């Protein structure tokens, strides 16, 4: 761990989080690029299912989605942990626990995620505009579900981008 600060200047929390994010037990989940892509795709799918179920519970007042939501929670947490393990905590660790290369990588991931989220927002705005203009849809009914549907990818896009762009680690041989 070569950071700008000395190892002794890291807090107990920083050292513990660094150790957690660099555990190798989950390595089979993300050992290859194909597995990391599958893990990110699974995370995106589980997120979409969870957001859809939550939206159905709140706005349609159905109760069955709560069971689907609870069923997706554990796999979603495992997938999140797998992506964090693949990136070695790039987005979860404080800046003082990262070296210069990791800080540059985090900045690059955040910039790319910001661009992708901007494109997503543009596509959603155009889509909702067309629905209101061409379709017989009340836009007031769409505002909250659409905002929730855009907020979640905005929140998770850096994690997904980091999971997709992380490089393979060199073999230990």
């Amino acid at each position: 761990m070569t950071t700008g600060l000395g190892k002794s200047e890291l807090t107990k929390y920083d050292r513990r989080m660094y150790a957690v994010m660099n555990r190798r037990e989950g390595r089979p989940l993300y050992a290859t690029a194909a597995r990391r892509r599958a893990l990110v795709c699974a995370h995106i799918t589980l997120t979409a299912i969870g957001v859809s179920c939550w939206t159905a519970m709140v706005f349609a007042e159905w109760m069955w989605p709560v069971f689907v939501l609870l069923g997706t929670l554990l796999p979603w947490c495992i997938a999140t942990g797998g992506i964090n393990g693949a990136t070695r905590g790039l987005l979860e660790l404080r800046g003082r626990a990262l070296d210069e290369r990791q800080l540059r990588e985090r900045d690059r991931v955040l910039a790319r995620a910001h661009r992708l989220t901007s494109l997503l927002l543009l596509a959603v705005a155009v889509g909702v505009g067309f629905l209101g203009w061409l379709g017989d849809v009340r836009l007031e009914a769409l505002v909250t579900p659409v905002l929730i549907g855009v907020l979640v990818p905005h929140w998770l896009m850096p994690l997904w981008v980091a999971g997709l762009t992380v490089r393979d680690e060199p073999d230990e041989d």
Side-chain angles (χ1 to χ4, degrees), residues 2 13 15 30 33 35 51 60 62 65-66 82 88 94 96 169:
T2 59
Y13 173 81
R15 288 190 296 274
Y30 53 82
R35 288 182 185 174
V51 169
W62 297 332
V66 74
R88 300 183 136 216
R94 294 178 184 172
R96 64 177 164 229
E169 293 180 6

Side-chain angles (χ1 to χ4, degrees), residues 9-39:
E9 295 180 27
L10 295 177
T11 65
K12 183 178 179 181
Y13 173 81
D14 292 330
R15 288 190 296 274
R16 176 69 182 134
M17 286 303 296
Y18 185 87
V20 166
M21 293 295 167
N22 286 281
R23 293 182 67 152
R24 307 318 288 164
E25 287 88 357
R27 187 159 198 240
L29 276 176
Y30 53 82
T32 65
R35 288 182 185 174
R36 287 190 299 273
R37 283 192 296 271
L39 188 61

Side-chain angles (χ1 to χ4, degrees), residues 90-157:
L90 185 70
L91 299 168
E92 298 300 322
L93 295 174
R94 294 178 184 172
R96 64 177 164 229
L98 302 174
D99 61 23
E100 294 80 18
R101 180 196 57 80
Q102 291 169 317
L103 291 170
R104 282 192 312 274
E105 180 70 16
R106 179 172 26 186
D107 289 343
R108 189 181 66 76
V109 163
L110 292 174
R112 183 175 286 174
H114 175 74
R115 286 191 298 272
L116 288 171
T117 303
S118 296
L119 291 173
L120 176 66
L121 286 169
L122 176 64
V124 168
V126 168
V128 168
F130 275 125
L131 278 176
W133 185 44
L134 298 175
D136 191 22
V137 177
R138 288 187 45 222
L139 294 181
E140 297 85 23
L142 289 177
V143 170
T144 304
V146 167
L147 285 175
I148 292 167
V150 173
L151 173 67
V152 172
H154 168 73
W155 169 46
L156 293 172
M157 189 68 71

Side-chain angles (χ1 to χ4, degrees), residues 67-78:
F67 300 110
V68 177
L69 181 61
L70 290 174
T72 61
L73 187 59
L74 180 62
W76 185 86
C77 289
I78 292 170

